[in-house]
Amino acid sequence: MEPLFTPEQLAEIHAYHQPHYIRAAVDPLVHVALVVLLLAVLVRPVYRGATAAAAALERRFGFLRTAPVSRAFFTAMDRLWGESGWGAAIFFALFIDLATQVLYAPANVWFYYVLEHQYGMSNLTPLSFAWIWFKAIVVAALALTALVVGMYGLARRVRRWWLVLGVPVALLMLVAAALDPYRARLYFDQAPLEEGPLRSRITELMRKADIPFSDVLVEKTSVTSKRVQAYFAGQGPTRTIVLNDVIVKELSEDEVLAAVAHEAGHVNEARWPGRIASSLALVALLFLIDQVQRLSARRGWWGVQRTGDIRTLPLVSFLVFLLFNLAAPISGALSREREREADRYGLRLTGDREAFRRMLVKAARVNKMDPNPPRWLVLRGMSHPPMGERISALDVP
């Protein structure tokens, strides 16, 4: 049987992935070192700088507090925060985030622009790369601001804030997947798959699987990347089948059907137990954050004297980092098993073992997937089984 890669291709793939493996090993150590630096040295001076910046803006633009339109915003923010001072808290969080962005900027440019172009995986121009990066920074800043005002503002005013915040957010998480089709459009243009044999065969395949869907869309990711991709977005009435324009171009109809069949396997997964567990885990995490804030106030760390002090943010971030890294091996193992079952389901649905194998082989070649990545990386939390393992499993009757 034809090998997955020629020796030359395999050598190129190993050269492409080796820097990523080194970064995966080093990144946790860098993160820990950065947190230690923040907690031991930088929290106090950064907070002083944030307070000074907020005071300077207050002096310069304080008239906006009484202006007819803007005063409603300032009144609402004061109420959310419980008092004045939310500006310093937002600046503190943004200063720390900006410092982290600057620290990682050289590595991110090299990994996500230089290395991708070096191995022919990216279509980004310098301008489009900068624009995507800028959008990501803006979205992160807005999300961070909402976190600061929402979580810390509530913690300052309500004793059991973790329950008040956690329960509605957990309930929202249960149905948030319905919004996935709309979130994706923030990043790439989408258009309905044109009428023709492929659309008809996908519709027939979903009828056979008894999976209702609203549309088949082509996502124009080739403006940034040369990777193939297919996924289902949304649930119930918002469920859509999304193919990127690369997979439509690179794969035959039988191979695209195999990819869709694999993704259909995820539709039939028992999702509610996982969603309920995630919602409960969120409430538990917020409770732990509350305990960390209270401990910081009791000990007076960094001058903290009350729950909801923004100076605990680096410690809270480190707690989340630790918990996610501890949970990653378990969640990764569960995810890999779901992917194996989706492969088995897709193969049963299409009944075309050769097309399924060709789909995986082409995906591995186009996406330059390492067929056998380091075992430690897999066990640490890879979401998919190695491609070599997935293809070998197809050869077992």
Side-chain angles (χ1 to χ4, degrees):
M1 188 171 290
E2 181 187 4
L4 178 54
F5 294 112
T6 66
E8 294 77 14
Q9 290 172 330
L10 195 58
E12 182 186 37
I13 285 171
H14 286 162
Y16 169 67
H17 282 280
Q18 193 62 34
H20 290 281
Y21 297 155
I22 294 173
R23 184 174 187 176
V26 171
D27 254 0
L29 302 178
V30 173
H31 190 95
V32 171
L34 178 60
V35 170
V36 170
L37 177 64
L38 280 169
L39 297 179
V41 179
L42 297 179
V43 168
R44 290 179 184 272
V46 171
Y47 185 73
R48 287 196 297 269
T51 302
L57 284 179
E58 179 76 21
R59 289 192 299 270
R60 181 67 179 83
F61 299 103
F63 66 92
L64 293 176
R65 282 188 169 274
T66 56
V69 177
S70 57
R71 65 183 177 187
F73 168 78
F74 284 93
T75 300
M77 292 294 289
D78 287 343
R79 288 178 178 174
L80 286 171
W81 193 249
E83 57 186 313
S84 60
W86 47 267
I90 292 174
F91 274 123
F92 178 82
L94 294 180
F95 285 171
I96 289 178
D97 182 62
L98 178 61
T100 304
Q101 293 278 359
V102 171
L103 177 68
Y104 277 94
N108 287 338
V109 170
W110 191 83
F111 274 94
Y112 300 123
Y113 184 82
V114 177
L115 188 65
E116 292 292 292
H117 277 274
Q118 182 179 343
Y119 287 91
M121 298 302 294
S122 176
N123 289 323
L124 287 172
T125 65
L127 184 60
S128 59
F129 177 78
W131 173 240
I132 290 174
W133 197 357
F134 174 75
K135 283 197 298 185
I137 290 174
V138 170
V139 170
L142 292 174
L144 186 58
T145 299
L147 172 70
V148 168
V149 176
M151 187 177 80
Y152 277 87
L154 197 59
R156 297 167 69 86
R157 296 182 291 110
V158 181
R159 178 171 179 79
R160 297 186 186 277
W161 66 269
W162 53 274
L163 199 57
V164 175
L165 179 63
V167 170
V169 173
L171 292 174
L172 183 62
M173 286 174 59
L174 296 177
V175 296
L179 300 176
D180 286 348
Y182 309 104
R183 287 197 293 263
R185 294 171 192 175
L186 294 174
Y187 302 98
F188 298 106
D189 292 333
Q190 295 180 343
L193 177 66
E194 62 185 19
E195 296 293 337
L198 179 58
R199 188 180 185 95
S200 298
R201 294 182 69 183
I202 291 174
T203 301
E204 180 59 32
L205 189 71
M206 293 301 97
R207 186 179 296 115
K208 178 181 177 182
D210 193 25
I211 297 176
F213 66 97
S214 62
D215 204 352
V216 184
L217 301 176
V218 177
E219 191 170 69
K220 300 176 182 178
T221 64
S222 62
V223 296
T224 64
S225 172
K226 297 182 180 179
R227 290 176 172 82
V228 299
Q229 186 181 29
Y231 63 94
F232 279 49
Q235 59 187 13
T238 68
R239 181 179 295 126
T240 55
I241 301 169
V242 183
L243 311 171
N244 76 341
D245 52 349
V246 183
I247 199 172
V248 174
K249 176 183 177 183
E250 295 290 341
L251 272 61
S252 69
E253 286 185 9
D254 288 342
E255 293 156 2
V256 172
L257 282 180
V260 172
H262 166 87
E263 296 303 326
H266 294 302
V267 174
N268 293 313
E269 291 171 353
R271 294 176 179 269
W272 283 105
R275 289 173 180 169
I276 293 171
S278 297
S279 299
L280 294 175
L282 172 66
V283 176
L285 174 61
L286 293 176
F287 174 75
L288 286 177
I289 291 174
D290 176 69
Q291 297 305 301
V292 167
Q293 291 188 7
R294 293 185 184 280
L295 177 63
S296 300
R298 287 196 300 270
R299 298 293 179 86
W301 293 336
W302 315 291
V304 173
Q305 296 181 347
R306 60 178 294 182
T307 301
D309 193 304
I310 194 61
R311 284 171 285 189
T312 63
L313 181 61
L315 184 58
V316 167
S317 300
F318 185 55
L319 171 67
V320 174
F321 168 80
L322 285 178
L323 292 176
F324 270 82
N325 276 270
L326 290 173
I330 298 173
S331 63
L334 294 174
S335 176
R336 291 193 298 276
E337 184 53 39
R338 288 194 296 270
E339 294 297 331
R340 294 186 188 100
E341 180 55 36
D343 279 348
R344 292 189 287 266
Y345 175 91
L347 188 55
R348 291 194 302 269
L349 183 60
T350 62
D352 191 341
R353 188 179 300 272
E354 283 307 308
F356 212 92
R357 187 181 193 280
R358 292 198 308 272
M359 179 272 291
L360 293 179
V361 168
K362 283 189 178 180
R365 289 174 177 172
V366 174
N367 292 359
K368 285 188 168 57
M369 297 178 178
D370 189 344
N372 294 296
R375 191 61 183 166
W376 65 266
L377 189 67
V378 176
L379 296 177
R380 201 181 81 168
M382 276 183 60
S383 61
H384 287 61
M387 188 57 81
E389 175 188 322
R390 294 176 67 184
I391 293 173
S392 297
L394 296 176
D395 298 329
V396 178

